[in-house]
Amino acid sequence: MSTSKGKLIVIDAGDGAGKSTQIENLRKLFGERFLLTREPGGTEYAEAIRTLALDHPLAKDADGKTLFMLMWASRAEHMNHLVIPSLKEGKIIVSDRFDSATFAYNVCAQGQEQLKDYFWDTRKMVLGDYAPDLYLYLDLPPEIGEERLSGRDDTKNHFDQRPMDFKYKVREGFLEFCEKVPHAVVDATQSKEKMFEDILRILKEYNIA
């Protein structure tokens, strides 16, 4: 748990679960203390690493180990230059994805099981005393996510183009990750209004709202 004045909340999900809607709800809830960031990215240098990992034409052929290293490099920059200073200022930071996505996408879905121990060691080194206070995982079966996104032309990176079995592995990875961190799994098959009711209840349970 974070030992700072602020709070760090991660919201993560597979495709079509409604992250953007719930993030906007959180923005309205927390007002001027709210700071939105994202991973990979969040600072100018971390965003450059994001481009290399997600948008470079050769990124789709990179294996899990390569992308794993890039994600942690971006995260170290993000933590040192944005997250930690903002927590010390008392901000409530909401991160659109975080190390939960690294575990789900780069370790589990890309078949890098041998990196699991290294993941947790690296996490301890990079995050230190500033690990997230809460992870909100919006859980949605991948086939429902595909239905929700059908007809939309907003694919942003090579992970969005992976086959369905990859997306099932991502979901399994998220659920495995959640077993080891402060978390709540939110049923994303519900209406967006009911989802936020659940999120608000969870935040109160964690003394964040």
Side-chain angles (χ1 to χ4, degrees), residues 42-55:
T43 68
E44 185 176 358
Y45 190 28
E47 289 287 337
I49 301 172
R50 176 191 179 94
T51 299
L52 185 63
L54 298 182
D55 300 325

PDB file of all heavy atoms in Angstrom, residues 42-55:
ATOM      1  N   GLY A  42       2.632   8.496 -19.661  1.00  0.00           N
ATOM      2  CA  GLY A  42       2.408   9.370 -18.521  1.00  0.00           C
ATOM      3  C   GLY A  42       3.347  10.548 -18.446  1.00  0.00           C
ATOM      4  O   GLY A  42       2.998  11.580 -17.884  1.00  0.00           O
ATOM      5  N   THR A  43       4.568  10.411 -18.969  1.00  0.00           N
ATOM      6  CA  THR A  43       5.506  11.522 -19.090  1.00  0.00           C
ATOM      7  C   THR A  43       6.016  11.522 -20.530  1.00  0.00           C
ATOM      8  O   THR A  43       5.826  10.554 -21.275  1.00  0.00           O
ATOM      9  CB  THR A  43       6.711  11.384 -18.147  1.00  0.00           C
ATOM     10  OG1 THR A  43       7.524  10.290 -18.570  1.00  0.00           O
ATOM     11  CG2 THR A  43       6.264  11.162 -16.701  1.00  0.00           C
ATOM     12  N   GLU A  44       6.695  12.595 -20.913  1.00  0.00           N
ATOM     13  CA  GLU A  44       7.146  12.698 -22.299  1.00  0.00           C
ATOM     14  C   GLU A  44       8.056  11.533 -22.691  1.00  0.00           C
ATOM     15  O   GLU A  44       7.907  10.926 -23.760  1.00  0.00           O
ATOM     16  CB  GLU A  44       7.863  14.028 -22.514  1.00  0.00           C
ATOM     17  CG  GLU A  44       8.266  14.268 -23.962  1.00  0.00           C
ATOM     18  CD  GLU A  44       8.887  15.635 -24.189  1.00  0.00           C
ATOM     19  OE1 GLU A  44       8.973  16.426 -23.220  1.00  0.00           O
ATOM     20  OE2 GLU A  44       9.286  15.918 -25.340  1.00  0.00           O
ATOM     21  N   TYR A  45       9.013  11.207 -21.826  1.00  0.00           N
ATOM     22  CA  TYR A  45       9.943  10.119 -22.133  1.00  0.00           C
ATOM     23  C   TYR A  45       9.237   8.770 -22.092  1.00  0.00           C
ATOM     24  O   TYR A  45       9.450   7.904 -22.941  1.00  0.00           O
ATOM     25  CB  TYR A  45      11.113  10.158 -21.151  1.00  0.00           C
ATOM     26  CG  TYR A  45      12.262   9.246 -21.502  1.00  0.00           C
ATOM     27  CD1 TYR A  45      12.546   8.881 -22.819  1.00  0.00           C
ATOM     28  CD2 TYR A  45      13.100   8.755 -20.490  1.00  0.00           C
ATOM     29  CE1 TYR A  45      13.617   8.059 -23.128  1.00  0.00           C
ATOM     30  CE2 TYR A  45      14.172   7.932 -20.790  1.00  0.00           C
ATOM     31  CZ  TYR A  45      14.427   7.586 -22.108  1.00  0.00           C
ATOM     32  OH  TYR A  45      15.489   6.770 -22.396  1.00  0.00           O
ATOM     33  N   ALA A  46       8.363   8.579 -21.101  1.00  0.00           N
ATOM     34  CA  ALA A  46       7.621   7.323 -21.003  1.00  0.00           C
ATOM     35  C   ALA A  46       6.701   7.133 -22.206  1.00  0.00           C
ATOM     36  O   ALA A  46       6.499   6.007 -22.682  1.00  0.00           O
ATOM     37  CB  ALA A  46       6.820   7.275 -19.707  1.00  0.00           C
ATOM     38  N   GLU A  47       6.155   8.226 -22.727  1.00  0.00           N
ATOM     39  CA  GLU A  47       5.318   8.150 -23.925  1.00  0.00           C
ATOM     40  C   GLU A  47       6.144   7.743 -25.145  1.00  0.00           C
ATOM     41  O   GLU A  47       5.656   7.036 -26.040  1.00  0.00           O
ATOM     42  CB  GLU A  47       4.613   9.478 -24.179  1.00  0.00           C
ATOM     43  CG  GLU A  47       3.513   9.816 -23.187  1.00  0.00           C
ATOM     44  CD  GLU A  47       2.245   8.988 -23.369  1.00  0.00           C
ATOM     45  OE1 GLU A  47       2.029   8.470 -24.488  1.00  0.00           O
ATOM     46  OE2 GLU A  47       1.468   8.861 -22.399  1.00  0.00           O
ATOM     47  N   ALA A  48       7.398   8.183 -25.202  1.00  0.00           N
ATOM     48  CA  ALA A  48       8.280   7.773 -26.297  1.00  0.00           C
ATOM     49  C   ALA A  48       8.528   6.273 -26.257  1.00  0.00           C
ATOM     50  O   ALA A  48       8.564   5.605 -27.303  1.00  0.00           O
ATOM     51  CB  ALA A  48       9.598   8.546 -26.219  1.00  0.00           C
ATOM     52  N   ILE A  49       8.684   5.736 -25.052  1.00  0.00           N
ATOM     53  CA  ILE A  49       8.853   4.286 -24.918  1.00  0.00           C
ATOM     54  C   ILE A  49       7.564   3.572 -25.300  1.00  0.00           C
ATOM     55  O   ILE A  49       7.594   2.503 -25.925  1.00  0.00           O
ATOM     56  CB  ILE A  49       9.297   3.923 -23.484  1.00  0.00           C
ATOM     57  CG1 ILE A  49      10.620   4.611 -23.142  1.00  0.00           C
ATOM     58  CG2 ILE A  49       9.443   2.405 -23.329  1.00  0.00           C
ATOM     59  CD1 ILE A  49      11.043   4.464 -21.693  1.00  0.00           C
ATOM     60  N   ARG A  50       6.423   4.153 -24.958  1.00  0.00           N
ATOM     61  CA  ARG A  50       5.136   3.578 -25.353  1.00  0.00           C
ATOM     62  C   ARG A  50       5.054   3.443 -26.876  1.00  0.00           C
ATOM     63  O   ARG A  50       4.636   2.403 -27.390  1.00  0.00           O
ATOM     64  CB  ARG A  50       3.998   4.479 -24.855  1.00  0.00           C
ATOM     65  CG  ARG A  50       2.602   4.027 -25.305  1.00  0.00           C
ATOM     66  CD  ARG A  50       1.543   5.083 -25.013  1.00  0.00           C
ATOM     67  NE  ARG A  50       0.234   4.644 -25.482  1.00  0.00           N
ATOM     68  CZ  ARG A  50      -0.662   4.020 -24.722  1.00  0.00           C
ATOM     69  NH1 ARG A  50      -0.406   3.783 -23.458  1.00  0.00           N
ATOM     70  NH2 ARG A  50      -1.820   3.644 -25.233  1.00  0.00           N
ATOM     71  N   THR A  51       5.432   4.494 -27.565  1.00  0.00           N
ATOM     72  CA  THR A  51       5.398   4.455 -29.026  1.00  0.00           C
ATOM     73  C   THR A  51       6.263   3.340 -29.566  1.00  0.00           C
ATOM     74  O   THR A  51       5.871   2.615 -30.490  1.00  0.00           O
ATOM     75  CB  THR A  51       5.856   5.816 -29.592  1.00  0.00           C
ATOM     76  OG1 THR A  51       4.959   6.836 -29.151  1.00  0.00           O
ATOM     77  CG2 THR A  51       5.868   5.791 -31.112  1.00  0.00           C
ATOM     78  N   LEU A  52       7.428   3.166 -28.976  1.00  0.00           N
ATOM     79  CA  LEU A  52       8.337   2.106 -29.403  1.00  0.00           C
ATOM     80  C   LEU A  52       7.731   0.729 -29.160  1.00  0.00           C
ATOM     81  O   LEU A  52       7.855  -0.175 -29.995  1.00  0.00           O
ATOM     82  CB  LEU A  52       9.656   2.243 -28.638  1.00  0.00           C
ATOM     83  CG  LEU A  52      10.791   1.300 -29.013  1.00  0.00           C
ATOM     84  CD1 LEU A  52      11.237   1.524 -30.450  1.00  0.00           C
ATOM     85  CD2 LEU A  52      11.970   1.488 -28.052  1.00  0.00           C
ATOM     86  N   ALA A  53       7.042   0.561 -28.031  1.00  0.00           N
ATOM     87  CA  ALA A  53       6.509  -0.751 -27.650  1.00  0.00           C
ATOM     88  C   ALA A  53       5.208  -1.106 -28.352  1.00  0.00           C
ATOM     89  O   ALA A  53       4.945  -2.287 -28.623  1.00  0.00           O
ATOM     90  CB  ALA A  53       6.300  -0.800 -26.139  1.00  0.00           C
ATOM     91  N   LEU A  54       4.386  -0.101 -28.660  1.00  0.00           N
ATOM     92  CA  LEU A  54       3.045  -0.391 -29.173  1.00  0.00           C
ATOM     93  C   LEU A  54       2.836  -0.013 -30.632  1.00  0.00           C
ATOM     94  O   LEU A  54       2.061  -0.658 -31.335  1.00  0.00           O
ATOM     95  CB  LEU A  54       1.992   0.316 -28.313  1.00  0.00           C
ATOM     96  CG  LEU A  54       1.925  -0.094 -26.837  1.00  0.00           C
ATOM     97  CD1 LEU A  54       0.808   0.652 -26.146  1.00  0.00           C
ATOM     98  CD2 LEU A  54       1.756  -1.599 -26.690  1.00  0.00           C
ATOM     99  N   ASP A  55       3.490   1.045 -31.081  1.00  0.00           N
ATOM    100  CA  ASP A  55       3.185   1.586 -32.407  1.00  0.00           C
ATOM    101  C   ASP A  55       4.281   1.390 -33.444  1.00  0.00           C
ATOM    102  O   ASP A  55       4.041   1.601 -34.635  1.00  0.00           O
ATOM    103  CB  ASP A  55       2.878   3.090 -32.293  1.00  0.00           C
ATOM    104  CG  ASP A  55       1.691   3.364 -31.385  1.00  0.00           C
ATOM    105  OD1 ASP A  55       0.761   2.544 -31.379  1.00  0.00           O
ATOM    106  OD2 ASP A  55       1.709   4.383 -30.672  1.00  0.00           O
TER     107      ASP A  55
END
